[in-house]
Amino acid sequence: MDLQKRIERGLERAITFATAGGQPAKLGAAMRHAVFSGGARVRPRLCLAVALASGDRNPEAADAAAAGIELLHCASLVHDDMPCFDDADTRRGRPSVHAAYGEPIALLTGDALIVLAFETIARECSKSPDRTAPLIATIARAVGMPNGIVAGQAWESEPDIDLHHYHRAKTGALFTGATAAGAVAAGADPQNWLALGEALGAAYQVADDLRDSAADMDEIGKPCGQDKTHQRPNAVAQLGLDGALTLLKETVHRAADAIPDCRGSDMLRELIMAEAKRLVPKKLAQSAA
Amino acid sequence: MDLQKRIERGLERAITFATAGGQPAKLGAAMRHAVFSGGARVRPRLCLAVALASGDRNPEAADAAAAGIELLHCASLVHDDMPCFDDADTRRGRPSVHAAYGEPIALLTGDALIVLAFETIARECSKSPDRTAPLIATIARAVGMPNGIVAGQAWESEPDIDLHHYHRAKTGALFTGATAAGAVAAGADPQNWLALGEALGAAYQVADDLRDSAADMDEIGKPCGQDKTHQRPNAVAQLGLDGALTLLKETVHRAADAIPDCRGSDMLRELIMAEAKRLVPKKLAQSAA
């Protein structure tokens, strides 16, 4: 089964479990809206690709980890879009969760998805007790305090932002978590995969800055120029457009070079290059070509 | 070591782990504010009491479960107090988290505490792999969708509230989860403990309704009359003051009767009776005496 199918099946299983009985209906619908809205599934794909490259000795655990990671990513998007953060009414070209269902349900949707992520891993890995604890610890580290995406968001409320910690936590941590979790699920050493996760996280951050600065809303389906509006650091503002494009190119190559020697290395390299292409706003890709 | 000490030690370990390095500082301080604010620790005490009554064969797992349950309870209070829900500026006589640290940090505090709850269980139970998955599944069920406290909150956004499901999810689920988790941690059958958890949850719900209707803010440290303001169902509004007091008494006795035959049953009965006394607003207890 290809990666995409495994990911969608895992997410469908998780959401079906959470919405069994159909009540309370609005929260169930909002969770589904948040998870099935055309996301690219970058992080779970990375997790599964690393698991495959490491032998995929426990596909059940890998699928659960991939689903958990995507649920946590979706949760963070729902809360990020809320009025007290980005106040974004659209996401991927559709209404954001709070725009469609109201603020209370959006807050609960994020909470419910975080809980569901860990519940899914515990439930699906109940037959691999030796994997459950390290998988949950690995993934929790990537989203919680003091170094996960929640911490990254919280840096924005500090008077002096430590840029390195900020970017590593806000964007990098879940990429590192995805590679590490893929390795843990397959019984491999996560240490060998951290450099790849870190480089990809850095690349994704630059790409996100480029998209925020240089794309238009029609292309990325959410409001642009958010970094400027919220006075957040942005690679294009710091390095200029050409500088940011060069940095992205270098970082993607650093990621490709960080792939450990393994039987799935070619597949991983292809995945990274395809992803890098997808991330550059179309107009920039054309003008850079 | 007495229960209270075990609980505080477990929570301190968890929060110290989450705030290691001291940054980002505001979120760390807000998490500490949310967790160490004079909470009565009712649910973790119940969890540990059941673990003890069941032989306490794995105190590490019981302490982790108790800490996780209290962290989740604290997270739910932080999010409940936010402007889009209760809009409460005080909690236990101190500023609520959003009043003290602002809305973005309050939102992240809840998220970080939810993650920390599961991370704590995974980390502290890493040497008992057979306990980790069932403990996390048990506790997640008590807080997530479709039957946990998040679902309970979400019922308030439905046009027709199913009162039974609403109360059971909003208040009962975490009590049931606490008794079940105590049993699971000790290697006992959680099924034997569900009736106790359900009865205690129901008692607590009535007590909460009484406190909301009949106490004053000085006594309970948070705004009163919230149910009326938010048009939520309330036992006092439905049954009158005397009717609600009678219901509370009956429910507490039902809880005491639901304690399974075990060596810790006397301790548990005492705990329940002491708790029941603490929960009735002082003025009512005096006038009912």
Side-chain angles (χ1 to χ4, degrees), chain A residues 49-281:
Chain A
V50 171
L52 273 169
S54 307
D56 202 22
R57 280 183 290 273
N58 190 333
E60 219 170 50
D63 286 349
I69 286 167
E70 184 66 7
L71 293 170
L72 289 162
H73 173 60
C74 294
S76 83
L77 298 182
V78 174
H79 281 179
D80 279 10
D81 283 343
M82 285 182 69
C84 70
F85 283 111
D86 280 7
D87 197 10
D89 283 342
T90 55
R91 162 75 61 186
R92 295 171 189 147
R94 302 164 68 211
S96 56
V97 174
H98 72 92
Y101 296 90
E103 273 191 69
I105 288 291
L107 183 50
L108 294 172
T109 298
D111 293 356
L113 291 175
I114 299 174
V115 174
L116 183 61
F118 296 109
E119 188 173 19
T120 299
I121 297 168
R123 200 179 52 244
E124 301 288 334
C125 294
S126 62
K127 284 179 213 146
S128 1
D130 58 323
R131 304 283 157 89
T132 316
L135 259 189
I136 288 180
T138 299
I139 293 171
R141 198 177 306 132
V143 289
M145 272 282 277
N147 298 314
I149 47 180
V150 164
Q153 286 284 97
W155 272 109
E156 293 172 13
S157 293
E158 292 294 321
D160 299 303
I161 298 188
D162 178 323
L163 265 186
H164 174 69
H165 277 110
Y166 168 59
H167 280 148
R168 222 162 72 156
K170 192 177 177 189
T171 316
L174 202 50
F175 280 88
T176 318
T179 55
V184 168
D189 185 353
Q191 291 298 324
N192 298 337
W193 293 95
L194 296 184
L196 170 62
E198 272 176 30
L200 282 178
Y204 199 84
Q205 180 62 52
V206 182
D208 209 39
D209 288 359
L210 274 164
R211 287 152 63 85
D212 188 71
S213 304
D216 55 37
M217 184 168 156
D218 284 348
E219 187 175 345
I220 66 171
K222 65 177 182 179
C224 300
Q226 289 279 316
D227 290 339
K228 203 170 176 184
T229 310
H230 297 283
Q231 297 182 299
R232 286 185 301 227
N234 178 299
V236 180
Q238 287 171 310
L239 305 171
L241 204 53
D242 288 345
L245 277 167
T246 306
L247 179 61
L248 175 62
K249 214 170 164 182
E250 286 170 3
T251 320
V252 169
H253 282 285
R254 181 154 64 85
D257 291 343
I259 298 171
D261 196 23
C262 63
R263 64 176 196 177
S265 56
D266 288 346
M267 174 198 64
L268 265 169
R269 198 162 288 117
E270 267 173 45
L271 183 76
I272 288 166
M273 291 307 177
E275 193 54 39
K277 232 178 242 171
R278 196 185 64 81
L279 285 177
V280 178

Side-chain angles (χ1 to χ4, degrees), chain B residues 177-249:
Chain B
T179 56
V184 169
D189 185 353
Q191 292 296 325
N192 298 336
W193 293 95
L194 296 183
L196 169 62
E198 271 175 31
L200 281 177
Y204 200 84
Q205 180 62 53
V206 182
D208 209 41
D209 288 359
L210 274 164
R211 287 152 63 85
D212 187 72
S213 303
D216 55 38
M217 182 168 156
D218 284 347
E219 188 176 343
I220 65 171
K222 64 176 182 178
C224 299
Q226 290 278 315
D227 290 339
K228 203 171 176 182
T229 309
H230 298 282
Q231 298 182 300
R232 289 186 298 228
N234 178 299
V236 180
Q238 288 171 310
L239 305 170
L241 204 52
D242 287 346
L245 277 168
T246 307
L247 179 61
L248 176 61
K249 214 171 164 180

